Amino acid sequence: MEGRLLPLFVAVPLAGAFLVPLLAKLWTRFSDLIANVVLALLLGITVHHWLMLSSTGMPMHYWVGGWRLIGIAMWFDALTALILLITNIVGFCAALYSVRYLDRYSSGRWKFYTLLLLLCAGLNGLAISGDLFNMFVFIEISAIASYALVAFGTEEEEVEAAFKYMVLGEVGGAVLLFGIALLYARASTLNLAHLSQVLIGMGRTPFYWFVIATLLIGFAIKMGMEPFHAWLADAHFSAPAPISAMLSGVFIKVTGVYAMCRIMFCVFGVARAETPAFFNLLIAFGAVSMVLGGLLAYSQSDYKRLLAYSSISQIGYILVALGIGNFWGIAGAMFHILAHALSKGTLFLTSGSVERATGTRNLDKLKSLERTMPLTSWSHILASFSMAGVPPFAGFFSKLLIIIGAISARMYWLAFLAALFSAVTFGYLTKVVKQAFFARKDVEPTKAKESPALMGVAMLVLVVLIILAGLGFKGILDYLVGPAAKVLLNGLEYARLVLGGY
Amino acid sequence: MIPYIACVLLFLIGLYVVISKRNLIKIVIGFSLIEYAVNLFFALVGFKKGALAPIITSGEQVRMGVARNFVDPIPQALVLTAIVIGLSTTALMLSLALRLYEKYKTFDISEIRRLKG
Amino acid sequence: MKGMSLIVQVITRLMAGILLLYGGYITLHGHLTPGGGFAGGVLIAAALILVSLAFGSVEQVERREYILSSIFESSGGVLFIGLALAGYVVVDSFFRNAGLYYLGQPLQLVSGGIIPLANIAIMLKVGAGLFAIFLALGASRFVMRE
């Protein structure tokens, strides 16, 4: 089915990013207006396409420029729908939140919004792209925008974190390009569907494994998998709060996990039965990430740093779930992507609210904020419950699916590990809740005012979505997460569907 | 075969510079080496022995039917894009390095360690 | 006012126009010869940087130049997106090559549809962008205030 509106996913944020510097010279607030309108529009288009997909069940394609089979393809199926939904929801809430959050930076509002729109353009383009080099270009666009955004405040620590992040991230990008060059040398095509058909004919030679290893290293750097996790804590800690929400909730998953899944499952066609080595590798590294991130998070005293280490741990969960390889495991991974994006986004936004109101992020100094900032506190508490896996929030169902997947694949020790670290997550998150938000009755609350209306609305939207995703768990499994998991399981179907129309 | 091995060697030299040197500017130069190596490798992928550059230079080529003996033009277009990406990356890295120098008054990366934990 | 020596200033006065012209030439013939928008843009930026270095101290760059380069850069970008959407609206497909002789007539200057216009848009963006990067690196005190 032809998707006539698919190019708008790329064109609209790019047009917004180019218009903001021009129009912001007339009136400063134009940049806020354009950014929010653009992201709201993107959200609307995403929901429209998802509803169309759910009702007809047929994925949509689009060939750029009308050049069939030699041009760039755009492809919208269930996996794309899931990724685009989380990107645009968190992006819209981050833009809404930034309208008041940027008051602490005296100048440069238009720079922030230009970079944010470029980041969203890169992520959206990556999600719908059906062409290998096009994916690389969009990965690099969003990565460069994120480096500049991490350094936005230009204090010492932020610039240092941005530099370290940048060197590591760009080396990862160079390794990725190397893998793409090797792949092109062998297959002479860049279209993902055509590539997968060519690769079937080539068999599992050592060259095949070398290319998979190279691409895996490139993606591992981008998503903070062990042993390349060193940049995550500093970068997410130093970025402005809405950008930390975007980075932690969306960026590492889309440019790391989604790109890796799309290439490994749909192009290379790895499956648990034929190539167990790949999946065991994912489980091994995922388990190490899970354990390391969880343990390091426990000992932090800074609010945002704790959340950053928790992100490393949750990425470990997703990798372990992908490595399990059956339907429940992959569905659990997809659901966890959704739940973690919403929850971690809310948590970072509340941390920004707290910092704006009280001026500090040190957990030892924040006391009993529930009395003075009720909206922020309750958003934080509900999001923590979701991340720790408390029913009936979304996080509980995603962890349940992962544990079911582990048990049905007879990996009991993995199920035990997942449950154990779920408890550890609960531990360090409630430590924050108890200490900062609900302290003893006789302690003076820290001086704070509640957040302004727009920031509150952004947090509220995310929390409501978390609750809805938990309550409407069956619907999300049937219409969003389940089809996405099926796309990954039947990896080679992708090629047949894309080229089948011709 | 020799040019490909030279590319990999250049990549490894660049990686060594990024990992082991302590001066910020040297790290940026090392990253540039990595990027040159990968771009060169990609451009070499399209080579065919005894072929011409993929530009139509005269009317007879048009009449004879083009694409008879041209080097693959797709890697050249891709490498152009990759060079532009590398350029903006290097510019951003250098401006970050400048800002770091202003704040910390040194280019030595072992002294730029305010973030701990 | 600082700058460079008299010889450099005289030569720059002669060369700047030629450099700009050459950059435009490379851009306009981008669909026939190697080069195109990016190479032309780099030459334009080089000419602007040469003038800025030879004739004035970089720290005393005027606000007017900075704002102008920002406007040019954004206009180049908007023009490019406009061309892409023109293919979408006018013909049938996003980025479709619309315009005269879009399938290309070899060796003719007026051919290739919207490709020469896209090259011009890229030249504007790259030239202004590289000049703005130079200003940001060199005249950093001024740019930070913006």
Side-chain angles (χ1 to χ4, degrees):
Chain A
M1 216 173 76
E2 171 115 44
R4 301 259 338 170
L5 292 179
L6 282 184
L8 285 182
F9 279 115
V10 173
V12 166
L14 273 183
F18 293 144
L19 279 176
V20 164
L22 266 183
L23 293 179
K25 298 205 184 323
L26 301 173
W27 175 43
T28 327
R29 293 288 164 154
F30 241 137
S31 46
D32 305 75
L33 192 66
I34 294 178
N36 285 307
V37 163
V38 160
L39 283 169
L41 208 64
L42 271 181
L43 190 56
I45 302 178
T46 310
V47 170
H48 162 78
H49 275 108
W50 175 43
L51 291 176
M52 214 152 74
L53 181 69
S54 302
S55 64
T56 63
M58 283 185 4
M60 290 164 264
H61 66 84
Y62 191 85
W63 295 95
V64 173
W67 303 102
R68 314 222 139 165
L69 285 183
I70 50 176
I72 298 178
M74 291 186 176
W75 179 249
F76 188 95
D77 61 4
L79 182 60
T80 319
L82 176 68
I83 297 292
L84 280 176
L85 271 177
I86 60 170
T87 308
N88 292 327
I89 288 177
V90 177
F92 177 61
C93 290
L96 206 56
Y97 186 88
S98 319
V99 175
R100 293 308 303 268
Y101 184 77
L102 287 180
D103 290 339
R104 64 196 292 239
Y105 299 112
S106 53
S107 64
R109 287 184 87 99
W110 61 271
K111 291 181 195 169
F112 181 86
Y113 282 112
T114 310
L115 288 168
L116 181 65
L117 284 174
L118 278 176
L119 179 65
C120 289
L123 292 172
N124 279 318
L126 172 60
I128 59 172
S129 164
D131 178 275
L132 191 61
F133 192 75
N134 206 19
M135 283 174 77
F136 170 74
V137 170
F138 279 120
I139 288 179
E140 289 295 302
I141 289 179
S142 50
I144 294 181
S146 75
Y147 305 142
L149 279 171
V150 165
F152 189 69
T154 65
E155 297 299 318
E156 296 114 356
E157 298 176 341
E158 306 184 13
V159 182
E160 169 194 347
F163 189 82
K164 288 194 231 175
Y165 172 30
M166 183 160 190
V167 170
L168 205 54
E170 281 304 301
V171 170
V175 172
L176 208 53
L177 187 59
F178 189 70
I180 292 179
L182 285 173
L183 209 50
Y184 180 76
R186 225 15 160 92
S188 294
T189 175
L190 289 171
N191 192 356
L192 286 181
H194 200 193
L195 196 55
S196 99
Q197 291 193 324
V198 170
L199 281 172
I200 293 178
M202 281 199 322
R204 308 277 154 96
T205 59
F207 176 79
Y208 179 90
W209 291 114
F210 182 68
V211 173
I212 286 191
T214 310
L215 287 174
L216 190 62
I217 293 180
F219 287 126
I221 296 181
K222 292 271 179 216
M223 70 173 143
M225 190 171 93
E226 301 296 321
F228 305 112
H229 69 291
W231 57 271
L232 239 170
D234 291 337
H236 291 187
F237 158 77
S238 313
I243 297 303
S244 291
M246 279 291 287
L247 274 181
S248 217
V250 180
F251 179 80
I252 48 180
K253 298 204 198 63
V254 177
T255 52
V257 179
Y258 165 75
M260 181 187 79
C261 286
R262 184 64 96 180
I263 290 187
M264 295 301 168
F265 286 91
C266 296
V267 173
F268 283 98
V270 295
R272 177 95 216 180
E274 303 158 12
T275 57
F278 177 75
F279 288 88
N280 291 331
L281 199 74
L282 280 184
I283 291 184
F285 281 123
V288 172
S289 292
M290 200 159 73
V291 170
L292 211 63
L295 290 178
L296 280 172
Y298 215 90
S299 62
Q300 296 300 319
S301 66
D302 184 295
Y303 196 167
K304 277 174 86 170
R305 221 179 167 87
L306 187 144
L307 294 176
Y309 275 114
S310 160
S311 286
I312 300 181
S313 177
Q314 304 298 317
I315 288 282
Y317 261 103
I318 296 177
L319 287 174
V320 162
L322 280 175
I324 292 178
N326 53 13
F327 174 75
W328 295 110
I330 297 190
M334 297 292 124
F335 206 100
H336 199 61
I337 288 182
L338 177 67
H340 181 240
L342 294 175
S343 320
K344 199 46 87 62
T346 315
L347 285 173
F348 270 113
L349 292 186
T350 56
S351 83
S353 271
V354 164
E355 186 184 1
R356 183 184 193 272
T358 64
T360 174
R361 290 200 294 244
N362 197 337
L363 284 174
D364 300 323
K365 298 213 189 84
L366 298 170
K367 293 193 197 326
S368 120
L369 284 167
E370 192 254 347
R371 276 181 253 163
T372 46
M373 304 177 72
L375 177 65
T376 311
S377 322
W378 281 101
S379 309
H380 176 97
I381 293 165
L382 293 176
S384 301
F385 281 168
S386 167
M387 261 209 13
V390 172
F393 297 105
F396 168 70
F397 292 109
S398 65
K399 300 217 166 135
L400 188 65
L401 285 176
I402 296 178
I403 294 181
I404 291 180
I407 292 182
S408 71
R410 284 192 267 277
M411 300 182 187
Y412 299 110
W413 60 277
L414 259 185
F416 173 69
L417 203 63
L420 179 68
F421 272 87
S422 194
V424 170
T425 311
F426 189 68
Y428 60 71
L429 284 175
T430 43
K431 177 179 98 157
V432 175
V433 166
K434 202 166 76 81
Q435 192 167 348
F437 291 106
F438 288 106
R440 281 86 51 201
K441 284 289 194 285
D442 52 340
V443 174
E444 260 315 292
T446 326
K447 279 207 168 319
K449 266 178 11 167
E450 185 50 78
S451 344
L454 273 177
M455 288 162 69
V457 164
M459 287 189 287
L460 202 61
V461 165
L462 282 177
V463 168
V464 164
L465 281 172
I466 295 177
I467 299 180
L468 283 179
L471 292 177
F473 152 73
K474 193 75 177 69
I476 295 214
L477 189 56
D478 287 334
Y479 287 110
L480 191 58
V481 170
K486 286 210 190 67
V487 163
L488 283 182
L489 275 178
N490 313 326
L492 299 172
E493 277 289 301
Y494 177 80
R496 269 203 14 207
L497 281 173
V498 173
L499 298 176
Y502 308 104
Chain B
M1 199 53 182
I2 302 278
Y4 297 114
I5 296 187
C7 284
V8 173
L9 209 56
L10 201 56
F11 186 95
L12 291 174
I13 293 178
L15 200 58
Y16 167 74
V17 171
V18 167
I19 292 179
S20 73
K21 292 294 177 190
R22 286 177 17 179
N23 193 337
L24 276 183
I25 304 291
K26 288 188 186 169
I27 294 181
V28 177
I29 293 180
F31 169 69
S32 288
L33 276 178
I34 290 182
E35 185 202 315
Y36 290 161
V38 178
N39 289 336
L40 189 58
F41 182 79
F42 209 158
L44 283 176
V45 158
F47 182 66
K48 278 197 285 206
K49 261 211 176 77
L52 305 168
I55 300 173
I56 301 177
T57 49
S58 68
E60 304 116 44
Q61 282 183 346
V62 178
R63 267 177 271 126
M64 268 188 337
V66 295
R68 192 144 305 251
N69 201 13
F70 281 161
V71 162
D72 193 357
I74 288 189
Q76 302 190 355
L78 302 180
V79 165
L80 191 61
T81 311
I83 289 179
V84 175
I85 293 177
L87 161 77
S88 51
T89 300
T90 310
L92 188 57
M93 261 199 231
L94 281 177
S95 53
L96 282 178
L98 266 184
R99 204 68 66 220
L100 270 181
Y101 182 71
E102 275 176 30
K103 302 280 182 183
Y104 285 89
K105 303 284 183 282
T106 172
F107 269 129
D108 194 337
I109 204 170
S110 54
E111 300 187 13
I112 304 180
R113 277 200 192 293
R114 289 245 190 113
L115 289 172
K116 286 198 233 325
Chain C
M1 147 134 14
K2 282 195 297 186
M4 294 192 154
S5 66
L6 184 64
I7 297 183
V8 175
Q9 291 191 354
V10 166
I11 302 275
T12 307
R13 259 190 230 128
L14 293 173
M15 290 298 297
I18 297 181
L19 276 176
L20 287 171
L21 197 62
Y22 191 55
Y25 166 77
I26 285 191
T27 310
L28 285 175
H29 286 251
H31 53 289
L32 297 171
T33 58
F38 182 65
V42 169
L43 268 176
I44 301 265
L48 292 174
I49 294 177
L50 176 66
V51 168
S52 157
L53 274 180
F55 280 107
S57 172
V58 172
E59 290 102 28
Q60 296 173 12
V61 66
E62 295 197 37
R63 185 180 174 80
R64 185 173 42 112
E65 289 172 9
Y66 178 65
I67 293 188
L68 262 183
S69 76
S70 173
I71 291 182
F72 267 115
E73 180 176 3
S74 310
S75 320
V78 170
L79 184 62
F80 195 74
I81 287 277
L83 284 174
L85 286 174
Y88 197 38
V89 166
V90 171
V91 191
D92 63 359
S93 189
F94 187 67
F95 249 132
R96 176 101 191 175
N97 209 342
L100 307 173
Y101 307 110
Y102 70 89
L103 276 181
Q105 297 187 331
L107 307 175
Q108 297 289 342
L109 192 55
V110 180
S111 72
I114 55 175
I115 291 183
L117 294 174
N119 273 330
I120 294 179
I122 294 179
M123 173 187 89
L124 283 177
K125 194 163 206 342
V126 170
L130 282 179
F131 185 55
I133 290 179
F134 167 73
L135 288 182
L137 285 178
S140 55
R141 264 178 302 142
F142 172 78
V143 170
M144 279 284 287
R145 251 191 289 134
E146 168 57 32

